[in-house]
Amino acid sequence: MIAADRPGMRGAKLLVVEQDGTMRDLPRAELSGLLDPGDLVVANDAATLPASLNGMHVRSGEAIEIRLAGWLSFPDPRRFVGLAFGAGDHRTRTEDRPPPPPLSSGDLIKLGPLEVIVERVLDHPRLLELRLSGSRGAVLAGLAQHGRPIQYAHVPEPLALWDVWTKIAVEPVAFEAPSAGFALDWSTLQTWHRRDVGFTTLTHAAGISSTGDPYLDTRLPFDEPYRIPASTAARVVQAKRRGSRIVAIGTTVVRALESAADPDGSLRAGNGIATGRIERGTPLRFVDTILTGVHQPGESHFELLRAFADDTLLAKTSAALIAHSYRAHEFGDSMLLNRQSPSDSCDA
């Protein structure tokens, strides 16, 4: 598929996939008119951390890049799971980056103004538990001063932090942008308000999309903390009980809502951790529709879509995305996928 290679590209497209499998290729600007009065849209308001940090492994004197990839004590920004790479930058494909210098527990890594201790090397030489020295305020200041957004080779020019913040971004807890939210703008939100389409938010620490290692990629997404306000939980339950559609803006919203769902139809408010994959056969208790980007088979985001539609329909969807030259990755085009009813499924 074509990779969207910069933020803010004009002429974004939207593939609408109805519950019966029919499809429409539309300008994404028409999103605001596609929902019905009473529908409830739920979006992720997480802002993106400057989670890529370059520096030096003190014991060897070699260059190293650390990409923060998971929270160990959410929301304390002093302990993370991180990925380590050798010398280089985002212009080299993640898969082609050299390994980091040999790492051991207790090693010191200097990342600009930050000092980082390797607490533990996990079950892969690139995967670490890290502790950042200093007060919470000092660590946040160091991240802001020295960190950069995680980015990949399909976007050649360096990204600024504001490039990876959606219009509704609030608290910086995500490691990569909850990119489905790039489809939202103030005009869309105002139109929904006028048409009595509900809108609410939760906060989910969106994780990384690639580790550069095929084995580690099969474990994505890592555990991701989330926070669902009591008001959001109440509105979701009320909408579901009256038969209205719940529209998730992105896979992170699906993970949060379905992780917090109880079999009795209630939704747990407050903090939680989304663990494991949502995939084919995973029951969806709340979400009826997802607005998402363009994903390819094998990616964890694509696997989540298998909970919404069978493989026959998803294959047709992928073919339509290619035929209409949809752009992939975080700054690409979008798809609005309505959950297929069991009677419409063609798969056994």
Side-chain angles (χ1 to χ4, degrees), residues 259-292:
S259 294
D262 283 326
D264 64 1
S266 61
L267 182 67
R268 297 185 300 277
N271 292 344
I273 298 178
T275 61
R277 283 191 175 194
I278 293 176
E279 55 194 356
R280 181 180 180 180
T282 302
L284 298 175
R285 295 189 171 94
F286 281 107
V287 181
D288 303 294
T289 300
I290 180 173
L291 178 74
T292 187

Side-chain angles (χ1 to χ4, degrees), residues 40-61:
L40 180 64
V41 178
V42 186
N44 183 2
D45 65 8
T48 309
L49 288 162
S52 170
L53 301 118
N54 285 288
M56 182 182 68
H57 177 237
V58 172
R59 179 165 54 83
S60 67

Side-chain angles (χ1 to χ4, degrees), residues 278-284 302-309 314 339-340:
I278 293 176
E279 55 194 356
R280 181 180 180 180
T282 302
L284 298 175
F302 186 92
E303 289 302 303
L304 183 143
L305 300 183
R306 299 178 77 205
F308 285 82
L314 289 178
R339 178 153 52 113
Q340 198 176 10

